[in-house]
Amino acid sequence: DNNTINTFNAYELKLDYHLKKKILDKFMFRSSIGFIYSQIENYNASAFSSNNKFSTQLKTHNINLALAINNFGIVTDSYTSVNQKLPLQYQFGITHNINKTNIILGYDLIYHTNIKRYENIVCMQFSIIESINLRLSTNNFRNDLLTGNIKRDWFYGFGYGLSINSDKIKSDIGVSS
């Protein structure tokens, strides 16, 4: 009958400061430190958070390795009166640049401390043109989303993203279903 029973508004805002520092010419430390504000209808939440990553390259094999701690921070205002914590994550990642192509294959293993589960992510990135990259990914959490209806299940658990790079600005958007 196409009647709308109820609607609600929700949004999130995240502001980050990014920094990177080379260590001993072999490692790279990257950090993003920022503020998150979220609102669902009349409920608000906010937090200060950081993501911290150490990475290195095995140049002779076109391989990058990374270790990260994500969502490290403190909730300053919770949706409810229950004391909430940010969902801390520990991450290991590896990427391989395929020789003589613009294709990068990747794997991430993430431990989610809030649900005490491991997430396995496989991904691929390739250039559409020199300054635009397309990313595709899937993960083992996809199985939890499947309904048995191929028309609905087609994109569940898949992610995709687009990066547009210039000399001064990097713009990135990603969607996960």
PDB file of all heavy atoms in Angstrom, residues 68-82:
ATOM      1  N   ALA A  68      48.375  -2.948  12.539  1.00  0.00           N
ATOM      2  CA  ALA A  68      47.642  -1.754  12.937  1.00  0.00           C
ATOM      3  C   ALA A  68      46.789  -2.002  14.174  1.00  0.00           C
ATOM      4  O   ALA A  68      46.371  -3.131  14.441  1.00  0.00           O
ATOM      5  CB  ALA A  68      46.740  -1.281  11.795  1.00  0.00           C
ATOM      6  N   ILE A  69      46.552  -0.918  14.893  1.00  0.00           N
ATOM      7  CA  ILE A  69      45.559  -0.885  15.970  1.00  0.00           C
ATOM      8  C   ILE A  69      44.577   0.210  15.571  1.00  0.00           C
ATOM      9  O   ILE A  69      44.961   1.366  15.388  1.00  0.00           O
ATOM     10  CB  ILE A  69      46.199  -0.572  17.340  1.00  0.00           C
ATOM     11  CG1 ILE A  69      47.169  -1.668  17.732  1.00  0.00           C
ATOM     12  CG2 ILE A  69      45.114  -0.391  18.387  1.00  0.00           C
ATOM     13  CD1 ILE A  69      47.936  -1.389  19.011  1.00  0.00           C
ATOM     14  N   ASN A  70      43.313  -0.173  15.412  1.00  0.00           N
ATOM     15  CA  ASN A  70      42.280   0.752  14.950  1.00  0.00           C
ATOM     16  C   ASN A  70      41.250   1.004  16.043  1.00  0.00           C
ATOM     17  O   ASN A  70      41.010   0.151  16.889  1.00  0.00           O
ATOM     18  CB  ASN A  70      41.572   0.182  13.715  1.00  0.00           C
ATOM     19  CG  ASN A  70      42.536  -0.061  12.580  1.00  0.00           C
ATOM     20  OD1 ASN A  70      43.394   0.764  12.287  1.00  0.00           O
ATOM     21  ND2 ASN A  70      42.414  -1.212  11.940  1.00  0.00           N
ATOM     22  N   ASN A  71      40.641   2.164  15.991  1.00  0.00           N
ATOM     23  CA  ASN A  71      39.591   2.571  16.938  1.00  0.00           C
ATOM     24  C   ASN A  71      40.102   2.654  18.371  1.00  0.00           C
ATOM     25  O   ASN A  71      39.376   2.350  19.314  1.00  0.00           O
ATOM     26  CB  ASN A  71      38.378   1.639  16.877  1.00  0.00           C
ATOM     27  CG  ASN A  71      37.664   1.715  15.563  1.00  0.00           C
ATOM     28  OD1 ASN A  71      37.655   2.737  14.908  1.00  0.00           O
ATOM     29  ND2 ASN A  71      37.055   0.622  15.168  1.00  0.00           N
ATOM     30  N   PHE A  72      41.323   3.072  18.533  1.00  0.00           N
ATOM     31  CA  PHE A  72      41.877   3.272  19.873  1.00  0.00           C
ATOM     32  C   PHE A  72      41.455   4.659  20.331  1.00  0.00           C
ATOM     33  O   PHE A  72      41.750   5.657  19.676  1.00  0.00           O
ATOM     34  CB  PHE A  72      43.405   3.153  19.845  1.00  0.00           C
ATOM     35  CG  PHE A  72      44.043   3.303  21.185  1.00  0.00           C
ATOM     36  CD1 PHE A  72      43.990   2.273  22.103  1.00  0.00           C
ATOM     37  CD2 PHE A  72      44.681   4.484  21.524  1.00  0.00           C
ATOM     38  CE1 PHE A  72      44.582   2.421  23.351  1.00  0.00           C
ATOM     39  CE2 PHE A  72      45.272   4.634  22.763  1.00  0.00           C
ATOM     40  CZ  PHE A  72      45.218   3.589  23.682  1.00  0.00           C
ATOM     41  N   GLY A  73      40.704   4.729  21.415  1.00  0.00           N
ATOM     42  CA  GLY A  73      40.255   6.036  21.869  1.00  0.00           C
ATOM     43  C   GLY A  73      39.256   5.945  23.000  1.00  0.00           C
ATOM     44  O   GLY A  73      39.162   4.929  23.694  1.00  0.00           O
ATOM     45  N   ILE A  74      38.488   7.020  23.144  1.00  0.00           N
ATOM     46  CA  ILE A  74      37.563   7.113  24.266  1.00  0.00           C
ATOM     47  C   ILE A  74      36.239   7.724  23.786  1.00  0.00           C
ATOM     48  O   ILE A  74      36.229   8.674  23.005  1.00  0.00           O
ATOM     49  CB  ILE A  74      38.163   7.956  25.413  1.00  0.00           C
ATOM     50  CG1 ILE A  74      37.250   7.951  26.629  1.00  0.00           C
ATOM     51  CG2 ILE A  74      38.480   9.353  24.956  1.00  0.00           C
ATOM     52  CD1 ILE A  74      37.894   8.492  27.873  1.00  0.00           C
ATOM     53  N   VAL A  75      35.146   7.154  24.268  1.00  0.00           N
ATOM     54  CA  VAL A  75      33.819   7.699  24.000  1.00  0.00           C
ATOM     55  C   VAL A  75      33.586   8.844  24.979  1.00  0.00           C
ATOM     56  O   VAL A  75      33.689   8.668  26.182  1.00  0.00           O
ATOM     57  CB  VAL A  75      32.727   6.608  24.160  1.00  0.00           C
ATOM     58  CG1 VAL A  75      31.330   7.201  24.010  1.00  0.00           C
ATOM     59  CG2 VAL A  75      32.947   5.481  23.161  1.00  0.00           C
ATOM     60  N   THR A  76      33.286  10.017  24.449  1.00  0.00           N
ATOM     61  CA  THR A  76      33.059  11.183  25.313  1.00  0.00           C
ATOM     62  C   THR A  76      31.581  11.411  25.601  1.00  0.00           C
ATOM     63  O   THR A  76      31.237  12.024  26.595  1.00  0.00           O
ATOM     64  CB  THR A  76      33.656  12.454  24.680  1.00  0.00           C
ATOM     65  OG1 THR A  76      33.120  12.623  23.368  1.00  0.00           O
ATOM     66  CG2 THR A  76      35.173  12.354  24.616  1.00  0.00           C
ATOM     67  N   ASP A  77      30.716  10.933  24.702  1.00  0.00           N
ATOM     68  CA  ASP A  77      29.276  11.058  24.899  1.00  0.00           C
ATOM     69  C   ASP A  77      28.627   9.844  24.250  1.00  0.00           C
ATOM     70  O   ASP A  77      28.758   9.638  23.043  1.00  0.00           O
ATOM     71  CB  ASP A  77      28.772  12.355  24.261  1.00  0.00           C
ATOM     72  CG  ASP A  77      27.298  12.628  24.539  1.00  0.00           C
ATOM     73  OD1 ASP A  77      26.759  12.050  25.504  1.00  0.00           O
ATOM     74  OD2 ASP A  77      26.703  13.420  23.795  1.00  0.00           O
ATOM     75  N   SER A  78      27.935   9.029  25.031  1.00  0.00           N
ATOM     76  CA  SER A  78      27.353   7.784  24.544  1.00  0.00           C
ATOM     77  C   SER A  78      25.880   7.973  24.196  1.00  0.00           C
ATOM     78  O   SER A  78      25.216   8.865  24.726  1.00  0.00           O
ATOM     79  CB  SER A  78      27.492   6.709  25.633  1.00  0.00           C
ATOM     80  OG  SER A  78      27.005   5.480  25.170  1.00  0.00           O
ATOM     81  N   TYR A  79      25.370   7.127  23.290  1.00  0.00           N
ATOM     82  CA  TYR A  79      23.948   7.164  22.941  1.00  0.00           C
ATOM     83  C   TYR A  79      23.055   6.913  24.157  1.00  0.00           C
ATOM     84  O   TYR A  79      21.959   7.425  24.254  1.00  0.00           O
ATOM     85  CB  TYR A  79      23.606   6.084  21.903  1.00  0.00           C
ATOM     86  CG  TYR A  79      24.136   6.336  20.526  1.00  0.00           C
ATOM     87  CD1 TYR A  79      25.040   5.474  19.937  1.00  0.00           C
ATOM     88  CD2 TYR A  79      23.706   7.434  19.785  1.00  0.00           C
ATOM     89  CE1 TYR A  79      25.509   5.687  18.656  1.00  0.00           C
ATOM     90  CE2 TYR A  79      24.176   7.662  18.504  1.00  0.00           C
ATOM     91  CZ  TYR A  79      25.070   6.783  17.947  1.00  0.00           C
ATOM     92  OH  TYR A  79      25.529   7.005  16.685  1.00  0.00           O
ATOM     93  N   THR A  80      23.549   6.072  25.067  1.00  0.00           N
ATOM     94  CA  THR A  80      22.766   5.683  26.244  1.00  0.00           C
ATOM     95  C   THR A  80      23.584   5.936  27.500  1.00  0.00           C
ATOM     96  O   THR A  80      24.737   6.333  27.433  1.00  0.00           O
ATOM     97  CB  THR A  80      22.389   4.188  26.181  1.00  0.00           C
ATOM     98  OG1 THR A  80      23.587   3.414  26.301  1.00  0.00           O
ATOM     99  CG2 THR A  80      21.669   3.844  24.895  1.00  0.00           C
ATOM    100  N   SER A  81      23.005   5.632  28.642  1.00  0.00           N
ATOM    101  CA  SER A  81      23.726   5.811  29.910  1.00  0.00           C
ATOM    102  C   SER A  81      24.698   4.662  30.183  1.00  0.00           C
ATOM    103  O   SER A  81      25.465   4.714  31.135  1.00  0.00           O
ATOM    104  CB  SER A  81      22.732   5.933  31.065  1.00  0.00           C
ATOM    105  OG  SER A  81      21.949   4.767  31.151  1.00  0.00           O
ATOM    106  N   VAL A  82      24.691   3.645  29.341  1.00  0.00           N
ATOM    107  CA  VAL A  82      25.620   2.513  29.489  1.00  0.00           C
ATOM    108  C   VAL A  82      27.016   2.957  29.064  1.00  0.00           C
ATOM    109  O   VAL A  82      27.190   3.631  28.050  1.00  0.00           O
ATOM    110  CB  VAL A  82      25.152   1.318  28.622  1.00  0.00           C
ATOM    111  CG1 VAL A  82      26.146   0.175  28.696  1.00  0.00           C
ATOM    112  CG2 VAL A  82      23.765   0.871  29.038  1.00  0.00           C
TER     113      VAL A  82
END
